[in-house]
Amino acid sequence: MNKSFSDYAIKPVSFTKATIEDRFWQRRIETAINVTIPYDFEKCEETGRIDNFAKAGGMMTGAHEGIFYNDSDVFKVVEGAAYALQSGHNETLAAYLDELIGKIAAAQEDDGYLYTARTIDPQNPPEACGPERWSNLAVNHELYNVGHLYEAAVAHFEATGERKLLDVAIRNADLIDSVFGSDKLRNVPGHQEIETGLARLFRATGDERYLRLAKFFLDERGRANGRELFGSYCQDHRLVTGQREAVGHAVRAAYMYAAMTDIAALTGDAEYAEAVEGLWENVVGKKLSLTGGIGARHEGEAFGDDYELPSLTAYNETCAAQANILWNQRMFLLSGNAKYVDVLERTLYNGFLSGVGLDGRSFFYVNPLACDGEYQFNRESAMTRQPWYQTACCPTNVVRLLPSLSGYIYAQGQRELYVNLYIAGEGRFRIGNADVRIQQVTNYPWEGDIALHVDVSKPVAFNLKLRVPGYTRNQPLPSDLYRYAKTSNEVAHLAMDGMVIPYALQDGYISLEREWRGASEILLRLPLAPRRVIAHSAVAELRDKVALERGPLVYALESADNEADLLELALPDDGEIQAEHQADLLGGITNLRGEAWDKECDPVEFTAIPYYAWGYRGDGRMTVWLDRH
């Protein structure tokens, strides 16, 4: 590997440099910080996840409790808690983390090994762990767990400046680097995650060994160097640079694709860049749910075949949606193309957001596009969000994203400032020797007007790039997987300091390149008329079906609002659909009202709500896709 390292040409603006002050996301983030993080820690205590560290460290006695990958849940909540500390000082949370990190450090063995399922009783570990270290990597999550440790450790170090957890991560990574390599043990983790963690550890420390090790784990996939390949379920069926179809476990795959994008950026490896683009085109062109969810099959929590996109039996794990967001963010940073942010936004508002309840204490593991009131789509549940799961990856994953969401709004190139998400609040930047501030005022996604107040401390030249979502250009996705039933002539409008400005789009952005002086006001108006969506004819289950969208939101019909049999309703191609905001319903939503046909071909009024808001009002039916009349 070339020893001259680079990085993404575009950098995300840290979430600490941007604030969120809107009606839609602010409450969600506050709930994540004040409710979900302490709730997740409480559940980790109740289920023995935290005691496992104390037991491994000799601080208490007893057997290992729970599943062999439960360490990772604790690390994920620590990462989210670190982001919360950066958002605002919290003495109680900081003290709790100090005590918890002490237990994690105590659980680490002298040579850096950290895996409580083995350390507590090394002579009798759970069967899945394998009899010895590294002996059952296909299953045991031994490397997966510590990947989340590395991400948590870097986040905590950045939040506090304290090295205790970072030093634990470094000692562990040094051990793994001494064991694995082209002239050492040649094997890979069955569940990817250590690769993105190592890339993050490389950035934090500058130690090139961690980047080389991340690339080694990726390069070794598909190579039978003295071992049996784990197969397509683990994306270990061929070299990663030769993969072009998304297969196997969706979370593992998307974590791997994110890591591959990191390698493409950090090493300049063109083969990696070509591979992730090909994989992205396969997902977005043939395997992406309308909600941005990935993973069609319950069996293996896996991608299906091309164009296999069921509704009732769709899996679409919440963790997979989050992984899809992380991957698309990296793809944007690698390229500067807004099409990746279009997918990110769709997934964020729909497939991800549905997975965490408004109360911050209930979660969907699975996010189908239909519910008949009988099919048991969710682990340990029927049709309502659950307070916890035995496998708790989803409840613990959401707190990694929500507290750091403001870091997805803006990005910077050398002389470019990207506005990717339209969320009310403020961003502060340094461009050249000038301070730049952008204040967004908007009620997006309910309304399409976005006012951006730009203030500069001194004259400075830069290119302000405003993303124009694909839905404003008659393109639900940057592929032909979905299309609108009718073309709209409405387009985005732009004005600056009261004057309408004509614009041309490049890679999905309006470019305002000029020398900025003093204060400027920009008004971007995005059309948000309700739209009917139809799927590619190759999607067998969705032939002659239609769905509804408005802006970035996918809509669903739910029994709580509709008396008719939802799974037998037909929506005519014509007929007006009205948007109506209800401030007192489900935290404040804009619903859609119109007329459909029941199974007797009689007209019936219907109400649709944003997909993310379904499942709060009893075990009724729900559907995103209706018959097309």
Side-chain angles (χ1 to χ4, degrees):
M1 186 170 62
N2 192 320
K3 291 186 178 181
S4 59
F5 301 107
S6 55
D7 206 338
Y8 291 100
I10 301 168
K11 304 292 194 301
V13 173
S14 170
F15 72 95
T16 62
K17 302 294 185 183
T19 61
I20 289 178
E21 301 164 2
D22 77 337
R23 301 175 192 172
F24 190 93
W25 287 110
Q26 186 180 36
R27 187 186 61 179
R28 287 278 189 170
I29 293 165
E30 290 175 349
T31 300
I33 291 172
N34 298 321
V35 178
T36 312
I37 288 173
Y39 177 79
D40 281 358
F41 277 136
E42 177 185 324
K43 287 295 183 181
C44 285
E45 291 173 357
E46 289 178 4
T47 56
R49 284 166 165 83
I50 291 175
D51 282 350
N52 284 336
F53 290 98
K55 292 172 184 176
M59 304 168 73
M60 63 184 295
T61 60
H64 182 271
E65 294 184 64
I67 308 172
F68 48 88
Y69 45 71
N70 280 359
D71 291 359
S72 66
D73 295 323
V74 178
F75 299 144
K76 283 182 282 189
V77 188
V78 169
E79 183 184 349
Y83 298 143
L85 288 182
Q86 291 185 71
S87 299
H89 184 64
N90 182 323
E91 290 186 7
T92 302
L93 181 59
Y96 183 90
L97 284 178
D98 287 344
E99 181 180 352
L100 175 55
I101 290 168
K103 294 176 182 178
I104 294 170
Q108 186 169 41
E109 297 186 21
D110 291 343
D111 64 354
Y113 187 73
L114 184 55
Y115 186 47
T116 66
R118 186 184 308 283
T119 301
I120 289 172
D121 187 357
Q123 303 306 314
N124 300 286
E127 182 178 356
C129 297
E132 300 173 349
R133 292 181 181 182
W134 332 117
S135 60
N136 194 21
L137 290 176
V139 174
N140 67 14
H141 291 57
E142 201 169 8
L143 298 176
Y144 165 85
N145 286 355
V146 295
H148 281 298
L149 165 68
Y150 303 163
E151 298 218 56
V154 172
H156 185 261
F157 173 68
E158 291 174 346
T160 66
E162 299 173 5
R163 291 189 57 94
K164 188 169 185 178
L165 190 60
L166 183 64
D167 288 340
V168 170
I170 288 171
R171 290 180 61 215
N172 181 265
D174 289 349
L175 168 67
I176 292 172
D177 182 61
S178 73
V179 172
F180 291 89
S182 57
D183 57 346
K184 306 167 193 171
L185 178 59
R186 302 189 72 164
N187 211 332
V188 300
H191 195 313
Q192 300 90 320
E193 163 61 19
I194 193 172
E195 302 86 352
T196 51
L198 284 165
R200 192 165 181 184
L201 199 58
F202 160 68
R203 282 198 182 88
T205 65
D207 192 327
E208 298 173 2
R209 290 178 303 149
Y210 305 142
L211 182 59
R212 284 194 291 267
L213 185 58
K215 190 170 187 295
F216 163 79
F217 282 132
L218 292 169
D219 286 344
E220 280 296 299
R221 303 193 90 82
R223 298 182 190 271
N225 289 312
R227 68 180 181 91
E228 183 178 345
L229 296 181
F230 302 154
S232 60
Y233 173 75
C234 299
Q235 299 78 40
D236 189 32
H237 56 301
R238 64 181 55 174
L239 300 184
V240 296
T241 52
Q243 296 186 31
R244 294 296 184 275
E245 181 183 0
V247 296
H249 189 275
V251 178
R252 299 173 194 234
Y255 280 171
M256 185 180 85
Y257 304 157
M260 291 170 64
T261 313
D262 279 343
I263 294 300
L266 290 166
T267 70
D269 192 309
E271 285 189 283
Y272 269 81
E274 182 180 345
V276 291
E277 179 61 27
L279 288 161
W280 185 87
E281 288 177 355
N282 177 248
V283 171
V284 175
K286 298 178 181 179
K287 298 191 176 186
L288 190 70
S289 163
L290 187 64
T291 58
I294 54 175
R297 297 177 180 174
H298 281 244
E299 183 180 0
E301 302 177 330
F303 286 104
D305 295 331
D306 287 350
Y307 299 111
E308 182 183 340
L309 293 166
S311 291
L312 180 65
T313 64
Y315 201 71
N316 292 344
E317 185 182 339
T318 299
C319 285
Q322 176 154 332
N324 199 28
I325 290 169
L326 299 176
W327 178 31
N328 276 277
Q329 170 76 340
R330 286 166 166 82
M331 292 294 286
F332 157 72
L333 297 173
L334 188 66
S335 68
N337 197 307
K339 65 182 182 180
Y340 305 109
V341 187
D342 284 350
V343 177
L344 185 159
E345 181 180 59
R346 174 174 293 270
T347 309
L348 176 67
Y349 278 92
N350 301 288
F352 168 78
L353 192 56
S354 59
V356 55
L358 289 166
D359 60 359
R361 294 169 170 260
S362 56
F363 311 90
F364 275 149
Y365 196 109
V366 181
N367 298 275
L369 277 75
C371 174
D372 63 4
E374 299 176 5
Y375 180 73
Q376 302 289 303
F377 64 83
N378 214 339
R379 290 189 176 196
E380 307 166 8
S381 76
M383 280 62 70
T384 56
R385 291 172 181 81
Q386 296 299 292
W388 195 248
Y389 297 91
Q390 185 180 15
T391 295
C393 51
C394 297
T396 56
N397 230 342
V398 296
V399 295
R400 296 203 301 143
L401 179 59
L402 285 171
S404 62
L405 179 62
S406 58
Y408 293 80
I409 300 174
Y410 304 101
Q412 279 188 256
Q414 189 170 4
R415 283 282 173 174
E416 299 84 25
L417 180 56
Y418 295 82
V419 183
N420 280 337
L421 298 178
Y422 295 112
I423 298 176
E426 182 178 277
R428 293 182 177 273
F429 323 94
R430 185 75 177 175
I431 301 178
N433 61 355
D435 293 319
V436 179
R437 181 177 71 93
I438 293 181
Q439 181 76 30
Q440 281 198 54
V441 180
T442 182
N443 195 25
Y444 191 82
W446 309 128
E447 298 173 13
D449 285 356
I450 301 110
L452 299 108
H453 304 279
V454 182
D455 291 282
V456 298
S457 62
K458 59 181 66 177
V460 59
F462 65 90
N463 186 358
L464 181 63
K465 298 176 77 71
L466 308 178
R467 183 177 70 93
V468 179
Y471 63 78
T472 70
R473 307 190 305 276
N474 293 301
Q475 190 179 45
L477 280 177
S479 73
D480 65 355
L481 183 57
Y482 304 103
R483 63 183 176 87
Y484 292 122
K486 292 183 179 180
T487 299
S488 172
N489 294 322
E490 289 191 88
V491 297
H493 290 278
L494 180 72
M496 184 169 176
D497 295 331
M499 296 183 62
V500 174
I501 298 178
Y503 62 86
L505 293 179
Q506 181 177 8
D507 294 332
Y509 289 94
I510 295 171
S511 292
L512 298 174
E513 189 168 8
R514 64 193 63 211
E515 183 178 69
W516 298 82
R517 294 173 174 270
S520 304
E521 184 177 39
I522 299 163
L523 178 62
L524 178 65
R525 178 166 293 160
L526 303 177
L528 293 185
R531 307 291 298 273
R532 292 169 170 83
V533 185
I534 55 178
H536 193 289
S537 60
V539 184
E541 185 165 322
L542 299 182
R543 288 178 194 148
D544 300 317
K545 297 282 188 179
V546 61
L548 292 170
E549 292 185 356
R550 182 176 182 266
L553 297 173
V554 175
Y555 277 72
L557 277 68
E558 195 173 19
S559 294
D561 303 304
N562 300 277
E563 295 181 3
D565 187 341
L566 303 180
L567 303 184
E568 295 188 7
L569 283 183
L571 184 66
D573 283 349
D574 295 315
E576 188 175 5
I577 297 174
Q578 295 284 349
E580 177 184 88
H581 193 73
Q582 291 190 270
D584 58 347
L585 179 62
L586 298 168
I589 63 169
T590 295
N591 59 27
L592 302 180
R593 297 183 184 275
E595 189 174 81
W597 298 88
D598 65 16
K599 60 184 178 181
E600 306 297 333
C601 294
D602 292 326
V604 293
E605 297 295 320
F606 74 83
T607 298
I609 63 172
Y611 170 79
Y612 77 79
W614 87 277
Y616 289 102
R617 296 173 291 167
D619 287 352
R621 294 187 168 196
M622 179 276 292
T623 188
V624 168
W625 292 95
L626 302 168
D627 288 337
R628 187 182 181 194
H629 183 76

